[in-house]
Amino acid sequence: AAPIPLGLIESLRSARRICVFSGAGMSAESGVPTFRDALTGLWERFDAERLATPEAFHRDPSLVWGWYEWRRMKMRLAQPHAGHRALAGLERRAAQLTVITQNVDDLHERAGNTNVLHLHGSLEATRCVRCAAPFALPADIPQEPEGGRRIEPPRCASCGGRVRPGVVWFGESLPMPILQPAHDAAAACDVWITVGTSGLVYPAAELPLVAARAGATLVQINPLPTPLDAHYDHVLSGTAAQCLPELFAQERDRASLQ
Ligand code: APR
């Protein structure tokens, strides 16, 4: 990856409040597929827009549940990478680090971050469609469905309603108890680091602009250009597992030099 600008190291070192905004690219090097890179294998000819909707679940609940079981299997087989661990180390060192993620996996938490806001919910937060009671998923890793994709969703223990994934689908609103603190963190941070998102899905994609308007230093980490790059002070073209350890190692070393 390209060398890290000294100005950025200085901004990081003097920052009191840091926000890291992650998308599917943050989990890619852990083996969890992104949305807009071609889906592989079983789900190759499906895309999120067609599966991650209330209509899709109403029309074919077993197909949608099968997709989420496959994603949960991928998540549970995945391990946090060096980029996740660098963020956990930063939380221990930094004055205040808020991780705001669009991802529904638990890799940030498994790496050790404790202040994580899930804008789009979590694969582990299943609930009843009818009475909203949380549904405890079995701890074992879901198996690939025999020869197909459809898995019948479980039924709610208390009311018999159908269980749905605890994620925010296209057309659904983001939970205010998460979006409000994310917005407040964006408006108050000194440095905002976006890593692994295409910046195409709103309102999440609006948050970096909130930070920019509040005067934060903006950093984009992505191997590819994105439509919002022009709003960033620093664009590091590299991957999460490459750039984050490098960024925070230099910030840590420089801090110790003072
Ligand atoms: N490191 C960093 N970035 C990466 C890596 C990597 N190893 N690999 C891919 N990327 C980048 C891609 O260049 C792309 O810009 O990650 C981004 C992934 O974009 P998407 O697949 O669109 O994922 P995301 O931006 O998180 O999607 C936003 O859309 O489908 C909905 O709700 C879903 O939260 C998701 C939202």
Side-chain angles (χ1 to χ4, degrees):
I4 311 263
L6 195 54
L8 172 51
I9 302 295
E10 288 308 316
S11 306
L12 268 177
R13 214 182 47 71
S14 56
R16 289 184 326 285
R17 285 184 289 261
I18 299 174
C19 283
V20 172
F21 176 55
S22 65
M26 180 77 211
S27 304
E29 286 153 293
S30 292
V32 178
T34 64
F35 292 97
R36 288 164 186 86
D37 304 333
L39 274 188
T40 54
L42 202 56
W43 298 96
E44 201 154 4
R45 59 187 182 83
F46 288 90
D47 58 21
E49 278 80 353
R50 279 193 40 222
L51 288 168
T53 70
E55 296 74 27
F57 188 66
H58 182 73
R59 185 175 56 248
D60 191 344
S62 299
L63 179 71
V64 174
W65 186 260
W67 182 52
Y68 279 94
E69 283 288 87
W70 175 74
R71 292 178 61 193
R72 198 174 1 263
M73 177 187 71
K74 287 281 183 183
M75 173 181 76
R76 290 192 179 160
L77 290 171
Q79 293 303 326
H81 55 60
H84 292 106
R85 291 195 294 276
L87 291 184
L90 181 68
E91 178 177 300
R92 288 192 290 275
R93 248 190 1 263
Q96 189 180 341
L97 170 65
T98 306
V99 175
I100 301 167
T101 187
Q102 299 170 87
N103 300 335
V104 291
D105 62 52
D106 59 354
L107 290 168
H108 284 302
E109 290 87 345
R110 279 163 54 193
N113 280 97
T114 59
N115 185 15
V116 182
L117 298 172
H118 281 269
L119 297 174
H120 295 162
S122 159
L123 283 177
E124 298 291 357
T126 43
R127 65 175 187 271
C128 173
V129 180
R130 191 185 302 164
C131 72
F135 178 82
L137 285 160
D140 62 337
I141 293 181
Q143 299 307 317
E144 287 276 6
E146 292 307 317
R149 290 181 290 272
R150 285 179 169 70
I151 302 178
E152 178 67 25
R155 288 283 170 175
C156 170
S158 49
C159 83
R162 190 166 272 133
V163 168
R164 64 162 280 177
V167 301
V168 178
W169 279 331
F170 286 101
E172 295 183 322
S173 52
L174 275 62
M176 273 321 283
I178 302 285
L179 186 58
Q180 189 58 55
H183 187 280
D184 296 345
C189 69
D190 306 303
V191 175
W192 173 280
I193 301 170
T194 295
V195 50
T197 184
S198 54
L200 298 173
V201 174
Y202 284 79
E206 175 69 29
L207 288 171
L209 311 184
V210 171
R213 280 196 292 271
T217 297
L218 260 66
V219 187
Q220 173 87 277
I221 297 176
N222 198 314
L224 298 176
T226 81
L228 295 177
D229 283 0
H231 296 273
Y232 283 81
D233 302 288
H234 304 282
V235 176
L236 308 181
S237 55
T239 73
Q242 288 165 352
C243 293
L244 289 170
E246 173 68 13
L247 191 58
F248 297 127
Q250 292 206 24
E251 171 266 341
R252 187 185 55 230
D253 299 350
R254 197 151 176 77
S256 57
L257 284 180
Q258 301 308 319

